[in-house]
Amino acid sequence: MRFEAVTLFPEMFDAVLDYGITRRALDRGLYRFKSWNPRDFTDDPHRTVDDRPYGGGPGMLMQAEPLDRALNAVQQDLARESLKPWVVHFSPRGRPLTHQRVMEMKDMAALVLLCGRYEGIDERLLQRRVDEELSLGDFVLSGGELPALALMDAIIRQLPGALNAADSAVEDSFANGLLDCPHFTRPEVWQGMAVPEVLKGGNHAAIAQWRLQQSLTITATHRPDLLAKRGLSKQEQDILAVHPPGAPQNEAAR
Ligand code: 9WO
């Protein structure tokens, strides 16, 4: 898979390229990355990429032309390998990103991550060049780079060979549409709080049952919308009847 970031701050992408699972996946050749700086596609000596908004108001906007040229360069570069990229822009007005969309995007050959800065991008560039707008939530950031990094991380960990066996099991738990169950490690008692007895018994069926019950109750408590979308099997309904939501699972989440 190819990631092509159009960004004024290419160094920010080191956060994915240089660390952890995403670094290892790059070393394994599971994806490639290139950045394209709109400043390199300007004509003037000041390498200007921004200008004031028509109609007035505070702040500056990214001009269409340097971004258009950068996107043309990406397109040309990929065309040499007969690839046609899918262009994504990050904005609170986009469709909320989901696990399901990540699983679809992991099969794309080439993804362009168009990263806005300042107060945004000239609307005409977005209309002409963007295939999909994605939101990570209802909040405002200083640029599109962090959402781009989050999308890259989410996709890369789904590429075949990115996760080792130990990591893979963790992935299954979101794939089932439920929130994760709580986890515990040593010591057995920490600040007077004990690890649940069932997890120390070695009864693997009982442990699996406890984890499913915890996942169901936590999801019903914190994200009932996820359960409504997903539906419940008869067995899961029975478990929730015995362990209903309401009782807080932990102090911090209340
Ligand atoms: C900001 C904005 C605010 C309210 C309604 C729509 C909006 N669009 C943008 C926008 O596109 N901003 C650009 C990218 C330029 C300024 C920084 N940008 C940005 C992206 N801020 N916040 C995001 C973002 C992206 C995805 N999920 C959450 C926030």
Side-chain angles (χ1 to χ4, degrees):
M1 165 149 208
R2 314 266 298 241
F3 294 98
E4 315 285 334
V6 176
T7 173
L8 290 171
F9 299 109
E11 294 84 3
M12 288 183 72
F13 288 81
D14 294 349
V16 155
L17 301 171
D18 288 354
Y19 301 96
I21 287 168
T22 48
R23 158 77 170 269
R24 193 179 62 196
L26 183 63
D27 294 340
R28 289 176 176 171
L30 304 185
Y31 70 94
R32 292 167 63 179
F33 175 82
K34 268 191 207 165
S35 64
W36 307 77
N37 194 329
R39 261 188 224 294
D40 297 334
F41 298 88
T42 54
D43 297 326
D44 65 309
H46 292 105
R47 313 219 301 160
T48 309
V49 294
D50 62 333
D51 206 339
R52 292 166 2 201
Y54 278 107
M60 301 290 272
L61 293 172
M62 294 185 87
Q63 292 181 289
E65 191 60 23
L67 291 173
D68 195 52
R69 292 180 186 169
L71 288 166
N72 285 342
V74 177
Q75 216 168 40
Q76 246 183 48
D77 192 44
L78 292 168
R80 294 184 298 137
E81 296 164 65
S82 305
L83 297 175
K84 208 180 152 286
W86 183 256
V87 180
V88 176
H89 174 245
F90 302 93
S91 156
R93 80 180 183 188
R95 195 153 42 109
L97 181 63
T98 61
H99 177 69
Q100 184 192 321
R101 188 65 188 131
V102 168
M103 297 308 273
E104 291 163 5
M105 293 180 97
K106 77 174 197 299
D107 296 322
M108 292 180 167
L111 205 56
V112 175
L113 311 164
L114 177 58
C115 302
R117 277 276 155 177
Y118 311 114
E119 306 313 309
I121 299 175
D122 188 306
E123 186 66 27
R124 294 166 296 184
L125 184 283
L126 299 177
Q127 276 188 27
R128 190 56 60 80
R129 304 301 299 255
V130 170
D131 296 311
E132 178 174 12
E133 292 196 296
L134 286 175
S135 169
L136 295 201
D138 298 335
F139 50 85
V140 176
L141 296 165
S142 309
E145 284 82 4
L146 289 173
L149 286 161
L151 176 64
M152 280 182 67
D153 184 281
I155 291 175
I156 290 165
R157 56 186 287 107
Q158 300 300 338
L159 297 175
L163 298 185
N164 295 327
D167 312 317
S168 296
V170 176
E171 206 49 42
D172 298 339
S173 68
F174 203 129
N176 73 9
L178 299 176
L179 298 178
D180 208 2
C181 64
H183 305 287
F184 301 86
T185 187
R186 290 191 296 178
E188 257 183 54
V189 179
W190 179 78
Q191 294 195 354
M193 303 162 82
V195 171
E197 235 9 86
V198 62
L199 297 179
K200 300 187 290 178
N203 180 342
H204 297 294
I207 291 171
Q209 177 76 9
W210 180 85
R211 286 179 169 161
L212 174 60
Q213 176 268 308
Q214 289 284 312
S215 283
L216 284 166
T217 304
I218 287 169
T219 308
T221 304
H222 298 286
R223 295 294 307 277
D225 58 307
L226 290 180
L227 281 191
K229 244 186 8 189
R230 171 186 178 275
L232 290 169
S233 70
K234 182 71 179 72
Q235 188 213 358
E236 290 168 347
Q237 290 176 32
D238 292 346
I239 295 173
L240 259 186
V242 182
H243 303 273
Q249 299 297 308
N250 66 64
E251 289 291 324
R254 273 197 289 164

